[in-house]
Short mmCIF file of all heavy atoms in Angstrom, two decimals:
data_model
loop_
_atom_site.label_atom_id
_atom_site.label_comp_id
_atom_site.label_asym_id
_atom_site.label_seq_id
_atom_site.Cartn_x
_atom_site.Cartn_y
_atom_site.Cartn_z
N PHE A 1112 4.11 17.54 6.85
CA PHE A 1112 3.87 17.23 8.28
C PHE A 1112 4.79 18.07 9.17
O PHE A 1112 4.33 18.59 10.22
CB PHE A 1112 4.16 15.77 8.57
CG PHE A 1112 3.31 14.83 7.72
CD1 PHE A 1112 3.85 13.74 7.16
CD2 PHE A 1112 1.97 15.11 7.52
CE1 PHE A 1112 3.09 12.86 6.37
CE2 PHE A 1112 1.19 14.26 6.72
CZ PHE A 1112 1.75 13.15 6.17
N GLN A 1113 6.00 18.25 8.77
CA GLN A 1113 6.94 19.10 9.56
C GLN A 1113 6.43 20.51 9.67
O GLN A 1113 6.56 21.17 10.69
CB GLN A 1113 8.33 19.04 8.94
CG GLN A 1113 9.37 19.80 9.74
CD GLN A 1113 10.75 19.72 9.11
OE1 GLN A 1113 11.04 18.88 8.26
NE2 GLN A 1113 11.62 20.56 9.57
N ALA A 1114 5.83 21.01 8.58
CA ALA A 1114 5.28 22.37 8.57
C ALA A 1114 4.21 22.54 9.65
O ALA A 1114 4.06 23.63 10.20
CB ALA A 1114 4.73 22.75 7.20
N PHE A 1115 3.51 21.47 9.97
CA PHE A 1115 2.40 21.52 10.95
C PHE A 1115 2.87 21.13 12.37
O PHE A 1115 2.04 21.07 13.26
CB PHE A 1115 1.28 20.61 10.52
CG PHE A 1115 0.40 21.24 9.44
CD1 PHE A 1115 0.75 21.17 8.12
CD2 PHE A 1115 -0.78 21.82 9.77
CE1 PHE A 1115 -0.05 21.75 7.12
CE2 PHE A 1115 -1.61 22.41 8.81
CZ PHE A 1115 -1.22 22.37 7.50
N THR A 1116 4.15 20.85 12.52
CA THR A 1116 4.65 20.38 13.82
C THR A 1116 5.38 21.47 14.59
O THR A 1116 6.39 21.98 14.17
CB THR A 1116 5.64 19.20 13.56
OG1 THR A 1116 4.96 18.18 12.83
CG2 THR A 1116 6.09 18.61 14.89
N ARG A 1117 4.79 21.80 15.71
CA ARG A 1117 5.38 22.84 16.59
C ARG A 1117 6.51 22.26 17.40
O ARG A 1117 6.62 21.04 17.59
CB ARG A 1117 4.34 23.42 17.53
CG ARG A 1117 3.20 24.04 16.80
CD ARG A 1117 2.77 25.41 17.17
NE ARG A 1117 3.06 25.88 18.49
CZ ARG A 1117 3.73 27.02 18.72
NH1 ARG A 1117 4.19 27.72 17.73
NH2 ARG A 1117 3.93 27.41 19.99
N ARG A 1118 7.39 23.13 17.86
CA ARG A 1118 8.54 22.69 18.65
C ARG A 1118 8.11 21.92 19.90
O ARG A 1118 8.72 20.93 20.28
CB ARG A 1118 9.42 23.86 19.07
CG ARG A 1118 10.65 23.36 19.87
CD ARG A 1118 11.49 24.38 20.54
NE ARG A 1118 11.58 25.66 19.85
CZ ARG A 1118 11.99 26.73 20.46
NH1 ARG A 1118 12.33 26.73 21.74
NH2 ARG A 1118 12.08 27.87 19.80
N SER A 1119 7.01 22.35 20.50
CA SER A 1119 6.52 21.64 21.73
C SER A 1119 6.22 20.21 21.45
O SER A 1119 6.50 19.32 22.30
CB SER A 1119 5.30 22.39 22.28
OG SER A 1119 4.23 22.29 21.36
N TYR A 1120 5.68 19.89 20.30
CA TYR A 1120 5.38 18.52 19.94
C TYR A 1120 6.68 17.72 19.72
O TYR A 1120 6.83 16.61 20.22
CB TYR A 1120 4.53 18.46 18.67
CG TYR A 1120 4.18 17.04 18.31
CD1 TYR A 1120 3.05 16.40 18.82
CD2 TYR A 1120 4.96 16.29 17.43
CE1 TYR A 1120 2.72 15.08 18.49
CE2 TYR A 1120 4.69 15.02 17.08
CZ TYR A 1120 3.56 14.40 17.65
OH TYR A 1120 3.24 13.11 17.30
N SER A 1121 7.62 18.31 18.98
CA SER A 1121 8.86 17.59 18.70
C SER A 1121 9.72 17.38 19.95
O SER A 1121 10.38 16.39 20.06
CB SER A 1121 9.67 18.26 17.59
OG SER A 1121 10.10 19.54 17.98
N GLN A 1122 9.61 18.32 20.90
CA GLN A 1122 10.35 18.16 22.17
C GLN A 1122 9.78 16.97 22.96
O GLN A 1122 10.52 16.25 23.61
CB GLN A 1122 10.26 19.41 22.99
CG GLN A 1122 11.15 20.50 22.49
CD GLN A 1122 10.99 21.82 23.23
OE1 GLN A 1122 9.95 22.09 23.80
NE2 GLN A 1122 12.07 22.59 23.24
N GLU A 1123 8.49 16.74 22.88
CA GLU A 1123 7.84 15.62 23.61
C GLU A 1123 7.91 14.30 22.88
O GLU A 1123 7.94 13.25 23.48
CB GLU A 1123 6.36 15.97 23.91
CG GLU A 1123 6.19 17.09 24.87
CD GLU A 1123 4.72 17.47 25.08
OE1 GLU A 1123 3.83 16.71 24.64
OE2 GLU A 1123 4.47 18.54 25.67
N ASN A 1124 7.93 14.36 21.53
CA ASN A 1124 7.82 13.14 20.75
C ASN A 1124 8.96 12.86 19.79
O ASN A 1124 8.95 11.87 19.11
CB ASN A 1124 6.51 13.20 19.93
CG ASN A 1124 5.33 13.30 20.83
OD1 ASN A 1124 4.89 12.30 21.43
ND2 ASN A 1124 4.74 14.49 20.98
N GLY A 1125 9.91 13.78 19.73
CA GLY A 1125 11.03 13.62 18.79
C GLY A 1125 10.68 14.13 17.41
O GLY A 1125 9.55 14.53 17.13
N GLY A 1126 11.65 14.13 16.56
CA GLY A 1126 11.44 14.60 15.19
C GLY A 1126 11.72 16.08 15.04
O GLY A 1126 12.02 16.79 15.98
N GLU A 1127 11.56 16.54 13.81
CA GLU A 1127 11.81 17.94 13.48
C GLU A 1127 10.56 18.77 13.67
O GLU A 1127 9.47 18.22 13.64
CB GLU A 1127 12.31 18.04 12.06
CG GLU A 1127 13.66 17.39 11.80
CD GLU A 1127 14.77 18.04 12.59
OE1 GLU A 1127 14.77 19.26 12.78
OE2 GLU A 1127 15.70 17.32 13.01
N ASN A 1128 10.75 20.06 13.83
CA ASN A 1128 9.58 20.97 13.95
C ASN A 1128 9.61 21.96 12.77
O ASN A 1128 10.43 21.90 11.88
CB ASN A 1128 9.57 21.68 15.30
CG ASN A 1128 10.84 22.54 15.50
OD1 ASN A 1128 11.10 23.42 14.71
ND2 ASN A 1128 11.57 22.27 16.57
N ASN A 1129 8.68 22.89 12.80
CA ASN A 1129 8.45 23.79 11.67
C ASN A 1129 9.29 25.05 11.68
O ASN A 1129 9.13 25.91 10.80
CB ASN A 1129 6.98 24.12 11.51
CG ASN A 1129 6.43 24.94 12.66
OD1 ASN A 1129 7.13 25.29 13.58
ND2 ASN A 1129 5.13 25.21 12.58
N GLU A 1130 10.18 25.26 12.63
CA GLU A 1130 10.83 26.56 12.74
C GLU A 1130 11.77 26.90 11.59
O GLU A 1130 11.75 28.02 11.15
CB GLU A 1130 11.59 26.61 14.10
CG GLU A 1130 10.62 26.70 15.26
CD GLU A 1130 11.30 26.75 16.61
OE1 GLU A 1130 12.55 26.61 16.68
OE2 GLU A 1130 10.61 26.94 17.63
N VAL A 1131 12.50 25.93 11.10
CA VAL A 1131 13.38 26.20 9.93
C VAL A 1131 12.53 26.46 8.69
O VAL A 1131 12.82 27.36 7.90
CB VAL A 1131 14.39 25.07 9.72
CG1 VAL A 1131 15.13 25.26 8.42
CG2 VAL A 1131 15.38 25.01 10.86
N LEU A 1132 11.47 25.67 8.52
CA LEU A 1132 10.57 25.89 7.39
C LEU A 1132 9.92 27.25 7.47
O LEU A 1132 9.70 27.92 6.44
CB LEU A 1132 9.52 24.75 7.35
CG LEU A 1132 10.03 23.39 7.05
CD1 LEU A 1132 8.87 22.36 7.10
CD2 LEU A 1132 10.79 23.29 5.74
N GLU A 1133 9.58 27.68 8.64
CA GLU A 1133 9.01 29.01 8.84
C GLU A 1133 9.99 30.09 8.40
O GLU A 1133 9.64 31.05 7.71
CB GLU A 1133 8.64 29.19 10.31
CG GLU A 1133 8.19 30.57 10.70
CD GLU A 1133 8.30 30.80 12.20
OE1 GLU A 1133 8.33 29.87 12.97
OE2 GLU A 1133 8.39 31.99 12.55
N PHE A 1134 11.23 29.94 8.80
CA PHE A 1134 12.30 30.89 8.39
C PHE A 1134 12.40 30.96 6.84
O PHE A 1134 12.43 32.06 6.27
CB PHE A 1134 13.64 30.47 8.99
CG PHE A 1134 14.80 31.28 8.52
CD1 PHE A 1134 15.10 32.50 9.10
CD2 PHE A 1134 15.60 30.81 7.48
CE1 PHE A 1134 16.18 33.25 8.66
CE2 PHE A 1134 16.69 31.56 7.03
CZ PHE A 1134 16.97 32.79 7.60
N ILE A 1135 12.43 29.82 6.25
CA ILE A 1135 12.52 29.75 4.77
C ILE A 1135 11.25 30.36 4.14
O ILE A 1135 11.35 31.15 3.19
CB ILE A 1135 12.72 28.29 4.30
CG1 ILE A 1135 14.09 27.80 4.76
CG2 ILE A 1135 12.58 28.17 2.77
CD1 ILE A 1135 14.25 26.30 4.64
N GLY A 1136 10.10 29.98 4.65
CA GLY A 1136 8.83 30.49 4.12
C GLY A 1136 8.69 32.01 4.22
O GLY A 1136 8.14 32.65 3.36
N ASP A 1137 9.26 32.58 5.26
CA ASP A 1137 9.23 34.04 5.43
C ASP A 1137 9.98 34.68 4.28
O ASP A 1137 9.55 35.70 3.69
CB ASP A 1137 9.83 34.41 6.79
CG ASP A 1137 9.81 35.89 7.03
OD1 ASP A 1137 8.76 36.55 6.87
OD2 ASP A 1137 10.87 36.45 7.34
N ARG A 1138 11.14 34.10 3.92
CA ARG A 1138 11.93 34.66 2.83
C ARG A 1138 11.25 34.42 1.48
O ARG A 1138 11.26 35.28 0.61
CB ARG A 1138 13.32 34.02 2.80
CG ARG A 1138 14.35 34.62 3.75
CD ARG A 1138 13.80 34.92 4.98
NE ARG A 1138 14.61 35.53 6.03
CZ ARG A 1138 14.19 35.53 7.28
NH1 ARG A 1138 13.08 34.97 7.61
NH2 ARG A 1138 14.88 36.18 8.23
N VAL A 1139 10.63 33.27 1.30
CA VAL A 1139 9.86 32.97 0.06
C VAL A 1139 8.74 33.99 -0.08
O VAL A 1139 8.55 34.55 -1.18
CB VAL A 1139 9.32 31.57 0.12
CG1 VAL A 1139 8.33 31.28 -1.02
CG2 VAL A 1139 10.47 30.53 0.04
#
Side-chain angles (χ1 to χ4, degrees):
F1112 302 137
Q1113 183 179 346
F1115 281 82
T1116 304
R1117 299 230 337 125
R1118 182 189 327 163
S1119 63
Y1120 180 88
S1121 64
Q1122 286 175 332
E1123 292 176 13
N1124 299 284
E1127 295 297 326
N1128 61 57
N1129 66 1
E1130 290 179 353
V1131 171
L1132 294 177
E1133 172 199 339
F1134 173 83
I1135 294 166
D1137 181 51
R1138 278 40 182 195
V1139 168

